[in-house]
Amino acid sequence: MAASAGTKTAGRLYDIVVFGASGFTGQFVVEEVARAAGEGQLCDGRLRWAVAGRSREKLRAVLERAAERLGKDAPGEEVGVLLCDVGDAGSLATMARQTRVVLNCVGPYRFFGEPVVQACVENGASCIDISGEPQFLEGTYLKYNEKAAEKGVYVIGSCGFDSIPADMGVLYTRDKLKGTLTTVESFLSVKSGPEGLGIHDGTWKSAVYGLADEDNLKKLRKQIGYAPVPVVGAKLKKRGFLFYSPEFKEYCITFMGSDGSVVKRTQRYLHTELQQTPVQYGAYATVGGLGSVIKLMFLGMLFLLLVKFNFGRKLLTKYPKFFSAGYFSKEGPTQKQMDGTSFTMTFFGEGYSEGQDPQKGKPNVKICTQVKGPEPGYIATPIAMVQAALSVLEDAASLPKRGGVYSPGAAFSKTKLIDRLNKRGVEFSVISKPEV
């Protein structure tokens, strides 16, 4: 199917369309696509692309800003400008018919994601998003997996900071361990410069609505009827919500993002479709010393209390800065804040050496790997998203045989995505084996 997907869409006007190009995250994705096009990152050289959104003026302004930041003259006629609204199915269909891949930057995806997926699937375009919303991702799987398979297109969610570093990081760790990897724990550390950390409130809104709707996620998973993933090797112990890590000399919490659910979907796919040994996974984040813990607990309790009620959700979304102690804002981070921020995700893997039966005895090999990168939300995310799109375009023969709705690891486990990311500054490396 993969080859036919490539040929079927070969006659299209564009390779990539960035939808929601003038939104906060969209503008950075546009810049990253412009960079890829300028550097000739496609094998055959020329990347044909377009921007799409509601306002021609805003789209032109975003293209001019990207050109200016890349030190180029204003983009010429070679970049298409498509007028398109998430509320207008006809305009979405017209966009999808003209391109091989749509990069969807319009969130929260639970409200605006489905029409784009539907238009792409019906009109034979692959679709990539940067959603960290499990309910949207898994709902898309339930509703569109079969249709996408029939059309030979790939719908791949969570291709940003949620959850490419975690999902591909687990696969990287597995591939670097001599033997059978059975458990991995990842620890995310985000470091900011003197200007501190800033996040746009779009991410905050997704979290507010996601937590408010957790019960529906359970129902959805029942509906999908996932086959349980077998536990191979010693069972990974779940840690408490908050604990002290001697490795980092910091307090850590359970990571609240979509990484855990995305990795689980990948491991289920690799186990059921490719008969690979599934890896158990736990996701955590470092939060610092006792002072940070107290502040976090206070904000967290307030958040969880308010999120249960309609008026509480209105307050949270209206005053993100107040309820997040300044981290989330409607303006998003400044350039200085972004330049000073970076992330490190450290993976501690355990498993069984070659020739050792994972069903018997204790794990006897360890490995520690890392994924490091620039500011996660608006520098690493566009890099991950654009490199995922290039993998769909360039590594078609290495994608799963049939189209469908996939997590990043399921779609890209055999592609060159990790090499591509390494070249763009999201770096995967082995820290130590076999000892931490």
Side-chain angles (χ1 to χ4, degrees), residues 104 106-110 129-138 156-164 202-211 217 221 255-262 265 381 408:
N104 182 14
V106 181
Y109 292 92
R110 64 170 48 246
D129 71 51
I130 44 178
S131 166
E133 305 163 45
Q135 199 176 349
F136 167 72
L137 296 162
E138 296 180 43
I156 310 165
S158 47
C159 285
F161 177 69
D162 300 287
S163 288
I164 276 184
T203 306
W204 175 258
K205 281 182 188 151
S206 298
V208 170
Y209 296 120
L211 272 168
L217 182 57
R221 286 175 174 163
F255 181 62
M256 300 296 280
S258 58
D259 288 356
S261 68
V262 170
R265 283 173 57 215
T381 284

Side-chain angles (χ1 to χ4, degrees), residues 70-131:
L70 296 175
K72 289 197 184 121
D73 307 330
E77 295 307 304
E78 79 274 8
V79 182
V81 176
L82 308 177
L83 289 184
C84 190
D85 186 332
V86 76
D88 175 357
S91 71
L92 293 176
T94 304
M95 167 182 75
R97 276 198 291 272
Q98 294 181 66
T99 187
R100 294 167 68 190
V101 181
V102 169
L103 299 187
N104 182 14
C105 303
V106 181
Y109 292 92
R110 64 170 48 246
F111 300 132
F112 307 118
E114 190 184 333
V116 182
V117 171
Q118 187 176 357
C120 287
V121 170
E122 285 173 1
N123 296 283
S126 288
C127 182
I128 285 175
D129 71 51
I130 44 178
S131 166

Side-chain angles (χ1 to χ4, degrees), residues 326-395:
Y327 287 128
F328 290 87
S329 68
K330 293 186 190 297
E331 304 76 47
T334 63
Q335 191 58 49
K336 270 192 172 155
Q337 282 179 317
M338 292 196 297
D339 292 342
T341 304
S342 62
F343 79 90
T344 305
M345 201 176 260
T346 307
F347 298 82
F348 297 102
E350 287 194 354
Y352 295 77
S353 57
E354 286 168 328
Q356 179 93 0
D357 182 355
Q359 299 295 20
K360 295 190 178 109
K362 287 197 165 110
N364 64 343
V365 282
K366 286 183 178 182
I367 182 169
C368 176
T369 63
Q370 230 168 38
V371 180
K372 280 179 126 124
E375 188 280 328
Y378 314 103
I379 304 179
T381 284
I383 290 171
M385 188 182 210
V386 172
Q387 295 309 316
L390 293 177
S391 288
V392 169
L393 294 169
E394 295 282 274
D395 306 343

Side-chain angles (χ1 to χ4, degrees), residues 172 246 395 415 426:
Y172 176 83
D395 306 343
T415 67
V426 176

Side-chain angles (χ1 to χ4, degrees), residues 201-431:
D201 79 324
T203 306
W204 175 258
K205 281 182 188 151
S206 298
V208 170
Y209 296 120
L211 272 168
D213 213 12
E214 265 195 321
D215 292 345
N216 282 327
L217 182 57
K218 290 185 182 123
K219 284 182 201 150
L220 177 67
R221 286 175 174 163
K222 272 211 176 93
Q223 237 180 313
I224 295 171
Y226 287 128
V229 182
V231 172
V232 177
K235 193 167 164 55
L236 180 62
K237 285 192 181 71
K238 250 191 148 60
R239 297 172 182 259
F241 180 72
L242 174 75
F243 57 94
Y244 184 77
S245 159
E247 288 94 352
F248 295 99
K249 301 189 173 44
E250 281 188 54
Y251 283 93
C252 300
I253 57 166
T254 299
F255 181 62
M256 300 296 280
S258 58
D259 288 356
S261 68
V262 170
V263 169
K264 192 160 190 179
R265 283 173 57 215
T266 292
Q267 293 303 321
R268 179 182 286 111
Y269 170 82
L270 295 175
H271 173 67
T272 52
E273 297 296 321
L274 305 178
Q275 285 68 58
Q276 295 176 0
T277 305
V279 178
Q280 305 167 61
Y281 174 67
Y284 304 99
T286 64
V287 291
L290 209 52
S292 307
V293 169
I294 291 165
K295 184 165 134 185
L296 186 80
M297 292 314 242
F298 175 71
L299 288 171
M301 279 151 81
L302 189 60
F303 185 91
L304 289 173
L305 181 72
L306 288 173
V307 92
K308 287 190 171 74
F309 306 100
N310 200 9
F311 80 92
R313 292 193 288 277
K314 280 193 179 129
L315 280 176
L316 287 168
T317 50
K318 196 172 178 186
Y319 305 108
K321 212 165 187 169
F322 176 77
F323 288 106
S324 69
Y327 287 128
F328 290 87
S329 68
K330 293 186 190 297
E331 304 76 47
T334 63
Q335 191 58 49
K336 270 192 172 155
Q337 282 179 317
M338 292 196 297
D339 292 342
T341 304
S342 62
F343 79 90
T344 305
M345 201 176 260
T346 307
F347 298 82
F348 297 102
E350 287 194 354
Y352 295 77
S353 57
E354 286 168 328
Q356 179 93 0
D357 182 355
Q359 299 295 20
K360 295 190 178 109
K362 287 197 165 110
N364 64 343
V365 282
K366 286 183 178 182
I367 182 169
C368 176
T369 63
Q370 230 168 38
V371 180
K372 280 179 126 124
E375 188 280 328
Y378 314 103
I379 304 179
T381 284
I383 290 171
M385 188 182 210
V386 172
Q387 295 309 316
L390 293 177
S391 288
V392 169
L393 294 169
E394 295 282 274
D395 306 343
S398 310
L399 293 171
K401 293 272 184 291
R402 55 195 297 240
V405 176
Y406 290 99
S407 57
F412 300 124
S413 71
K414 295 178 173 174
T415 67
K416 298 193 186 84
L417 178 59
I418 289 177
D419 299 344
R420 293 176 192 283
L421 292 168
N422 275 328
K423 285 188 189 125
R424 295 286 309 117
V426 176
E427 293 165 5
F428 292 67
S429 62
V430 176
I431 302 302

Side-chain angles (χ1 to χ4, degrees), residues 7-39:
T7 45
K8 231 191 278 183
T9 54
R12 301 193 170 212
L13 205 51
Y14 304 111
D15 299 307
I16 290 173
V17 170
V18 182
F19 177 53
S22 55
F24 191 80
T25 307
Q27 61 183 334
F28 297 107
V29 174
V30 167
E31 193 184 313
E32 193 54 37
V33 176
R35 191 176 282 114
E39 291 172 4

